[in-house]
Amino acid sequence: MQTDRRSTTELTPTEAEWQAIRSRDTFVDGQFFYGVLSTRIVCRPSCAARPARPENVVCHHTVEQARVAGFRPCLRCRPDRPETW
Ligand SMILES: [Zn+2]
């Protein structure tokens, strides 16, 4: 299981998830969200913000999980809002 500073809902991105983040793939929006440990902000995969370093990125399946883990929704991609944005 995960150790150190990560909670149980924080998952290391899979290769596919990381690729989706890197390419800002809108197809995976809503399937998972990624949080940046250095800023404590959670984003949609398609967020226009520059991706953080892989070691600082954790994935959550829901925004709610990210919130519980202490992340704030990104003001740019608004992961806390429905798909219409
Ligand atoms: Zn964002």
Side-chain angles (χ1 to χ4, degrees):
M1 295 304 287
Q2 299 288 349
T3 52
D4 63 58
R5 56 187 169 165
R6 298 181 181 201
S7 78
T8 53
T9 62
E10 291 176 335
L11 310 168
T12 301
T14 64
E15 189 61 29
E17 287 171 337
W18 182 242
Q19 288 301 323
I21 294 168
R22 291 290 297 270
S23 59
R24 297 175 191 164
D25 193 345
T26 56
F27 288 110
V28 296
D29 271 4
Q31 295 182 27
F32 74 92
F33 302 88
Y34 74 95
V36 181
L37 292 170
S38 55
T39 58
R40 305 307 290 185
I41 288 175
V42 58
C43 281
R44 295 172 187 267
S46 65
C47 184
R50 191 160 50 91
R53 290 182 299 173
E55 62 266 32
N56 282 336
V57 171
V58 290
C59 285
H60 296 267
H61 291 296
T62 67
V63 173
E64 200 51 46
Q65 286 179 343
R67 273 187 167 153
V68 169
F71 290 87
R72 288 182 298 119
C74 174
L75 294 178
R76 211 187 282 202
C77 61
R78 300 309 302 243
D80 53 335
R81 291 221 179 130
E83 292 308 307
T84 52
W85 53 288

